Amino acid sequence: MMRGAIFQRFSLRTFSFPCVDSHVVHGNRYRGFSAATELRNREVLICNHLSNRRLDEAREIFNKVPSPHVSLYTKMISGYTRNNRLVDALNLFDAMPVRDVVSWNSMISGCVECGDMDTAVKLFDEMPERSVVSWTAMLNGFLRSGKVEQAEGLFNQMPVKDTAAWNAMVHGYLQFGRVDDALELFEQMPRKNVISWTTMICGLDQNERSREALVLFEKMLSCCIKATSRTFTCVITACANALAFHMGTQVHGFIIKLGFLYEEYVSASLITFYANCKRTEDSRKVFGEKVRDQVSVWTALLSSYSLNKKHEDALSVFSEMLRNNVLPNQSTFASGLNSCSALGTLDWGKEMHGVAVKLGLGTDAFVGNSLVVMYSDCGNANDAVSVFSEISKKSIVSWNSIIVGCAQHGRGKWAFVIYGQMIRCNKEPDEITFTGLLSACSHCGFLEKGRKLFDYMSRGPNHIDRKIQHYTCMVDILGRSGELKEAEELIESMLVKPNEMVWLALLSACRMHSDVDRAEKAAAAIFKLDSKSSAGYVLLSNTYASAGRWSNVSKLRIKMKQKGIMKKPGSSWVVFKGKKYEFFSGDRPESLRIYEKLEFLKEKLKELGYVPDYRSALHDVENEQKEEMLWYHSERLAIAFALVNTVEGSTVTVMKNLRVCEDCHAVIKLISKVVGREIVLRDPTRFHHFKNGECSCRDYW
């Protein structure tokens, strides 16, 4: 009864508004619902445009929103800063009627992301109420700008530090090589999460303290911290750098057990780890276990073959990658082009260049630098210069690559012209630049230019400390020019301790100019540094042989045998249809066609008046035997193979592991005249371009 009365009174009150039209009530409700729906739709559209980088369309819709909420302002500001439109973001921020901590933090973070630390500092100082996020954003900004001391000061001022702030400061120390400071701060951290441990492990490895990184990982496991895929990527990389094979295989087991094997970067790191440990078969096994659609995994496999000098396998991986419709990236091209350079296969290099152009990477600096090196190493200086000119944003690596490439080809004038362009572009030369220029002077006989350049390094406006490689080049310049006494005096006056390479440069010059006494002194210095220096023994033996001192040659060879020192066998190779064909000095050709070509060339050369230079046959035997030995030097076998297997009129490119001898140099000049083809020969120090009986080195090498 009571309930009924109450319900009746409630019902009467509910329906006691005779002046209100029911249609009006429903209309107001509908309009309110419609406005809210429209606002939500606009917000969705704005977010969609921002995520697709259609900022102007997003702003057009934003301007139609009546009294936008502070969160919508913040979304627009973040969209602008993510796309580097900082001025638009700041203007919108200034127009905000109300700001909260999130909007302030978003604007400060945007300034940091866009590299405007001055504005970020100004906003931070004006900020009415700061959160730990505000402080951490400024901390990251200082570290990104390289201002470690300011970051350090700000970190110490922070009223409250969360784990993210501690991690940021640890990462900053590691980034700038302050590893001990990072370790000290890491130990002081009140709470460490997996990001803290991973940052420290990765930083130690990147600062060449990989063993310590692995010890820290073991400590992390003992603290029952659960590793992430990022942690395992860092740990496997540390195992690769430390060559810690046993621990790496254990970590591989953890990865399989915890289900991280199919993570892209974990798989790529495992492939690299096994490659560093010279286990390319295991690299291939890891690759076989991975879904093959991720470029980083393919690149890791290609790089593993390239690292282990299995360049033909590396190029096969590149082909397989394209067949599987996996598009290579900059790192893929760098590794692939490195294999082309090592093999000297210009055809493969050109094919990769074509792929890079199709992918829009033809003018990319990273790919362009690798292409410059490839064309230089494969004997095509003209295309190297052409590629260099097309690089959109030339770095110091770009300039150095082309200068060194020109030096390799004996194009000294080109090297100095490009150096002049570099200076006019306000690019400061570094130690590699000067190494390339001095090398150009060495290969071209620019004695005075080399002297001036060497002096300019230490006295010029861009002071560069002379390193061992600069002294080696200068000794080579003086030695080749016959200034042996000056070269020796330079070594004795060096500010750094001379190494084996410096003395070998002098010893090589002594052999060239038959200065036996000074050669013995240089050899003694070499053997003091390395008693088993094969290069030292061979050069001294050759010096004795050139001077006809066969008893000394015999004694030296006995000594080498007693010490177990082996002379590196001379070899030359050509790449034909993607395959490397290598020949060794003294080999007798199995192919009748190669033998017939050699005999044909011998007859033609004799008709042109060729007489063997017996000084190049470094054995105490009869001249007839010397002639036989010389005729089967590896480069002649390789040239004969190329002549019978390549198209008539095409350029023949031969790679060689040792310096070409005087007799072979004379012979190849004549062969180029007989066959009417250009022959490009690469030895360890430079390129020789033989054409119409002449060589690009002008007999100065």
Side-chain angles (χ1 to χ4, degrees):
M1 183 72 180
M2 182 73 75
R3 285 177 192 158
I6 292 170
F7 179 74
Q8 189 175 14
R9 285 197 300 272
F10 178 77
S11 300
L12 289 170
R13 284 175 186 166
T14 303
F15 295 101
S16 60
F17 300 103
C19 60
V20 178
D21 191 336
S22 63
H23 293 291
V24 173
V25 171
H26 287 300
N28 287 338
R29 285 178 181 172
Y30 176 77
R31 279 194 295 274
F33 175 77
S34 177
T37 303
E38 186 179 354
L39 181 61
R40 280 197 297 272
N41 288 340
R42 282 178 175 174
E43 286 187 10
V44 169
L45 276 172
I46 288 169
C47 291
N48 182 47
H49 284 314
L50 290 174
S51 64
N52 289 286
R53 304 178 72 175
R54 296 192 292 266
L55 305 184
D56 294 331
E57 289 88 338
R59 183 59 185 267
E60 190 178 337
I61 297 169
F62 176 85
N63 289 339
K64 294 176 182 177
V65 177
S67 303
H69 190 267
V70 65
S71 64
L72 195 56
Y73 271 103
T74 304
K75 286 175 183 176
M76 275 302 305
I77 287 167
S78 297
Y80 277 134
T81 56
R82 277 197 303 270
N83 289 277
N84 209 33
R85 287 174 59 171
L86 184 59
V87 173
D88 289 325
L90 287 166
N91 289 337
L92 190 61
F93 182 74
D94 289 338
M96 288 180 72
V98 179
R99 301 169 188 150
D100 60 7
V101 176
V102 177
S103 59
W104 279 94
N105 288 342
S106 180
M107 193 65 252
I108 289 170
S109 297
C111 291
V112 168
E113 289 293 321
C114 294
D116 189 350
M117 274 306 294
D118 292 337
T119 305
V121 170
K122 184 174 177 291
L123 289 171
F124 183 74
D125 290 340
E126 293 173 358
M127 194 173 179
E129 185 182 345
R130 299 166 184 158
S131 68
V132 68
V133 176
S134 322
W135 289 88
T136 305
M138 289 301 298
L139 183 68
N140 283 319
F142 282 127
L143 291 170
R144 286 182 62 167
S145 304
K147 299 175 180 178
V148 187
E149 288 74 19
Q150 287 95 320
E152 199 172 30
L154 190 76
F155 180 77
N156 292 331
Q157 291 174 34
M158 287 180 71
V160 178
K161 302 182 184 83
D162 62 3
T163 308
W166 285 88
N167 289 344
M169 197 64 230
V170 168
H171 180 263
Y173 279 141
L174 291 166
Q175 190 178 1
F176 292 96
R178 291 174 58 175
V179 182
D180 292 330
D181 290 331
L183 280 167
E184 185 180 344
L185 196 65
F186 179 77
E187 292 300 327
Q188 292 172 10
M189 285 182 71
R191 289 177 301 278
K192 301 181 184 78
N193 60 15
V194 68
I195 297 172
S196 318
W197 289 92
T198 303
T199 299
M200 199 67 234
I201 290 166
C202 197
L204 285 169
D205 177 54
Q206 289 172 349
N207 283 279
E208 299 180 357
R209 292 167 69 165
S210 303
R211 291 283 176 186
E212 291 178 62
L214 298 178
V215 170
L216 192 66
F217 174 65
E218 290 177 337
K219 187 177 178 182
M220 172 185 160
L221 295 180
S222 68
C223 293
C224 299
I225 303 293
K226 190 177 179 181
T228 63
S229 62
R230 171 66 179 157
T231 315
F232 281 119
T233 300
C234 292
V235 172
I236 283 293
T237 303
C239 290
N241 293 330
L243 298 179
F245 180 73
H246 180 65
M247 185 169 183
T249 53
Q250 287 184 314
V251 175
H252 188 176
F254 285 147
I255 288 167
I256 293 170
K257 187 177 179 181
L258 297 173
F260 286 114
L261 184 61
Y262 297 104
E263 294 279 346
E264 179 179 0
Y265 293 105
V266 174
S267 290
S269 298
L270 278 168
I271 291 168
T272 303
F273 159 68
Y274 283 115
N276 278 23
C277 295
K278 311 297 180 188
R279 304 286 289 263
T280 51
E281 301 85 1
D282 291 322
S283 290
R284 186 81 205 196
K285 284 178 185 175
V286 173
F287 175 80
E289 293 169 355
K290 182 73 185 72
V291 178
R292 301 181 184 183
D293 58 353
Q294 292 162 328
V295 64
S296 63
V297 179
W298 283 89
T299 302
L301 181 64
L302 193 156
S303 300
S304 75
Y305 284 127
S306 184
L307 179 70
N308 286 282
K309 299 181 180 179
K310 296 184 176 182
H311 301 295
E312 291 165 273
D313 291 330
L315 298 180
S316 294
V317 169
F318 187 85
S319 293
E320 190 181 347
M321 186 178 181
L322 295 179
R323 285 196 299 273
N324 281 271
N325 297 316
V326 179
L327 300 181
N329 60 18
Q330 288 98 325
S331 298
T332 319
F333 282 112
S335 293
L337 290 167
N338 176 62
S339 287
C340 293
S341 297
L343 284 173
T345 171
L346 186 60
D347 291 342
W348 252 109
K350 284 183 174 180
E351 192 170 326
M352 282 195 190
H353 188 180
V355 175
V357 170
K358 286 178 182 176
L359 293 175
L361 295 172
T363 60
D364 176 81
F366 196 70
V367 175
N369 296 341
S370 298
L371 283 167
V372 168
V373 173
M374 182 277 295
Y375 278 116
S376 296
D377 285 351
C378 292
N380 198 324
N382 293 339
D383 281 349
V385 172
S386 178
V387 168
F388 168 77
S389 65
E390 292 173 4
I391 296 174
S392 53
K393 293 181 181 178
K394 297 176 178 67
S395 65
I396 185 66
V397 177
S398 313
W399 293 97
N400 287 343
S401 297
I402 193 62
I403 287 171
V404 170
C406 289
Q408 282 180 313
H409 286 267
R411 307 285 176 90
K413 290 181 180 177
W414 289 16
F416 278 94
V417 166
I418 291 168
Y419 171 68
Q421 293 172 357
M422 178 182 180
I423 298 301
R424 287 192 292 276
C425 290
N426 297 316
K427 290 285 183 182
E428 284 195 17
D430 61 10
E431 59 188 57
I432 298 172
T433 316
F434 284 103
T435 302
L437 292 170
L438 288 168
S439 178
C441 292
S442 174
H443 292 314
C444 299
F446 295 164
L447 176 59
E448 288 308 316
K449 196 177 282 263
R451 281 176 173 150
K452 288 177 183 177
L453 187 69
F454 190 71
D455 185 59
Y456 173 81
M457 282 181 65
S458 57
R459 298 187 186 181
N462 302 314
H463 177 83
I464 301 286
D465 290 330
R466 293 169 181 164
K467 301 289 174 60
I468 200 77
Q469 62 267 28
H470 302 124
Y471 281 104
T472 304
C473 286
M474 195 62 223
V475 168
D476 197 45
I477 292 167
L478 294 168
R480 287 171 185 266
S481 301
E483 303 292 341
L484 299 179
K485 184 181 178 184
E486 188 180 343
E488 187 179 355
E489 288 171 352
L490 176 63
I491 295 174
E492 290 169 352
S493 67
M494 281 174 62
L495 298 176
V496 292
K497 185 180 178 182
N499 67 0
E500 186 181 348
M501 293 307 297
V502 176
W503 286 109
L504 282 170
L506 179 61
L507 180 54
S508 179
C510 292
R511 190 206 67 79
M512 188 185 300
H513 296 286
S514 301
D515 189 336
V516 177
D517 293 338
R518 195 171 269 113
E520 288 177 333
K521 184 177 178 181
I526 292 166
F527 299 144
K528 193 174 180 180
L529 293 166
D530 180 7
S531 61
K532 292 188 174 183
S533 171
S534 174
Y537 275 104
V538 170
L539 274 173
L540 182 59
S541 175
N542 293 351
T543 305
Y544 285 142
S546 296
R549 292 171 56 168
W550 297 109
S551 60
N552 294 99
V553 172
S554 180
K555 288 175 186 176
L556 212 54
R557 286 178 178 166
I558 291 168
K559 197 171 184 180
M560 287 176 70
K561 193 172 183 180
Q562 289 172 343
K563 286 178 172 280
I565 301 168
M566 299 292 292
K567 179 183 176 182
K568 191 176 183 180
S571 73
S572 300
W573 66 92
V574 293
V575 178
F576 178 63
K577 292 184 177 179
K579 187 177 178 183
K580 179 181 176 181
Y581 293 87
E582 190 168 12
F583 303 87
F584 292 88
S585 291
D587 282 354
R588 292 299 182 270
E590 295 178 7
S591 167
L592 180 62
R593 293 175 68 204
I594 296 174
Y595 181 82
E596 287 174 346
K597 179 61 76 173
L598 283 169
E599 290 303 307
F600 165 77
L601 291 172
K602 185 188 286 187
E603 292 302 317
K604 287 293 183 183
L605 264 56
K606 284 181 179 178
E607 289 174 14
L608 292 173
Y610 162 68
V611 177
D613 183 352
Y614 297 120
R615 292 174 302 171
S616 298
L618 304 171
H619 293 271
D620 187 18
V621 292
E622 295 297 324
N623 284 350
E624 189 176 330
Q625 286 178 271
K626 287 183 179 180
E627 184 176 350
E628 183 79 2
M629 291 165 65
L630 288 170
W631 193 247
Y632 290 102
H633 273 191
S634 63
E635 52 266 59
R636 305 187 198 193
L637 297 170
I639 289 169
F641 172 86
L643 290 173
V644 300
N645 285 289
T646 56
V647 178
E648 194 72 32
S650 62
T651 300
V652 171
T653 303
V654 175
M655 307 293 159
K656 182 171 169 57
N657 70 334
L658 299 176
R659 182 177 175 272
V660 62
C661 73
E662 288 84 349
D663 189 63
C664 284
H665 192 269
V667 163
I668 299 170
K669 284 200 296 183
L670 292 173
I671 291 174
S672 71
K673 187 175 183 178
V674 169
V675 299
R677 294 170 70 172
E678 183 179 359
I679 300 171
V680 178
L681 177 71
R682 185 184 83 185
D683 69 16
T685 58
R686 65 164 298 153
F687 277 87
H688 298 267
H689 294 258
F690 300 93
K691 195 172 184 180
N692 298 325
E694 300 291 334
C695 180
S696 59
C697 74
R698 295 182 178 86
D699 297 336
Y700 187 90
W701 86 98

